[in-house]
Amino acid sequence: MKQMKLTLIAISAFSISCNALAAPISLSNQNFETGTLSGWTTLGTVAAVGATSVTTFNSIIWNVSPNLTTMAQLNPDGLSVSSIESTLGITAGTLNALNTNPDGGSLTDGAAIYQSFTGNSGDTISMAWDYVATDYIPFNDPAFAIIINPDNSVVVDVLASTHGLGIPVGTAGHSGWNTFDYALTQTGNYTIAFVTTNDKDTILDSVLFVDNVPGGATCNLENCPTPPSVPEPASLALLGIGLAGLGAMRRKRRA
């Protein structure tokens, strides 16, 4: 009996120890409160900004603010999407394959921000994002979140677009602040990236904001367009070698 009791205690202690290994990931400068993009690598036009206004083609002004004082802002500005894929080590054409524009299209330029980190299986990572389309349908202009796993398999989530996968915001629309959450399925070195793109042209940008938790947003109209409801996260692609598990990824909308 004494031996059994000791065994149960040992098993319980082992369980507690294993549970303690699973924890939220803290990225370097995750909330951008250094006032810079330190800790992150950027591709294209990315800046650390405070409260910012984005004007759409039809003069809707979206006023987007960070949770505290600073967030990252991504604007496509001449850097090709193929260059972004190449730098991240993603197979050429991956993002364009997820540009499900009902009117047909092709991604042109974009901007990205990314960071590598180490985590254990069961750990979770969470970042907030907000998307503003300055363009109109049929220009789809999707934005993406990307996870590169330790085995080099790639998970891509379409965050938002004008009328394709992710949150379809519509012409000159706005997604509202949302969170991108991912549960790690392996132990090792990961990369998390956020990308925003232009579709068909390089004129009116899709603007993506990134912060550690949701901020705020208003517009200049008496009745601002209501951000669409969040769809089920079906817009996922798993690529590369060793497709052992997708992990738990979900997107949540802050009321």
Side-chain angles (χ1 to χ4, degrees):
M1 179 66 70
K2 183 181 295 185
Q3 184 177 1
M4 181 180 295
K5 185 179 295 185
L6 289 174
T7 301
L8 290 175
I9 292 173
I11 292 173
S12 177
F14 176 75
S15 176
I16 293 171
S17 175
C18 288
N19 290 336
L21 293 176
I25 295 293
S26 294
L27 298 174
S28 176
N29 192 25
Q30 185 168 352
N31 60 5
F32 304 99
E33 287 305 304
T34 62
T36 70
L37 298 171
S38 63
W40 296 86
T41 302
T42 64
L43 301 171
T45 302
V46 184
V49 300
T52 302
S53 296
V54 176
T55 303
T56 68
F57 81 98
N58 55 353
S59 300
I60 297 176
I61 301 175
W62 291 102
N63 305 300
V64 181
S65 57
N67 173 57
L68 295 175
T69 65
T70 312
M71 57 190 171
Q73 178 178 344
L74 289 68
N75 287 72
D77 188 19
L79 181 67
S80 69
V81 170
S82 61
S83 294
I84 294 173
E85 290 175 329
S86 176
T87 301
L88 292 175
I90 296 173
T91 303
T94 295
L95 300 184
N96 204 55
L98 292 171
N99 179 31
T100 54
N101 188 339
D103 297 291
S106 180
L107 301 183
T108 55
D109 62 355
I113 186 170
Y114 65 96
Q115 182 174 152
S116 296
F117 64 93
T118 300
N120 296 309
S121 178
D123 288 351
T124 57
I125 187 166
S126 179
M127 291 289 291
W129 60 273
D130 191 7
Y131 169 94
V132 178
T134 66
D135 216 333
Y136 51 90
I137 295 172
F139 300 92
N140 202 34
D141 296 356
F144 307 89
I146 299 169
I147 295 287
I148 302 173
N149 292 302
D151 63 359
N152 292 321
S153 60
V154 180
V155 180
V156 181
D157 185 17
V158 184
L159 299 176
S161 60
T162 60
H163 68 150
L165 289 177
I167 298 178
V169 302
T171 291
H174 170 251
S175 67
W177 279 97
N178 298 266
T179 59
F180 169 80
D181 302 302
Y182 184 73
L184 279 54
T185 59
Q186 306 168 37
T187 294
N189 297 319
Y190 286 79
T191 297
I192 183 171
F194 293 90
V195 180
T196 191
T197 66
N198 270 318
D199 172 42
K200 298 179 185 286
D201 67 1
T202 59
I203 301 173
L204 296 169
D205 295 339
S206 59
V207 183
L208 184 66
F209 297 93
V210 180
D211 204 347
N212 66 321
V213 294
T218 61
C219 81
N220 64 327
L221 303 179
E222 184 175 350
N223 295 304
C224 293
T226 302
S229 58
V230 178
E232 291 299 316
S235 52
L236 302 176
L238 184 59
L239 311 164
I241 304 172
L243 312 185
L246 185 61
M249 181 184 292
R250 56 199 169 94
R251 191 165 46 240
K252 300 185 296 183
R253 169 114 184 274
R254 183 186 183 190

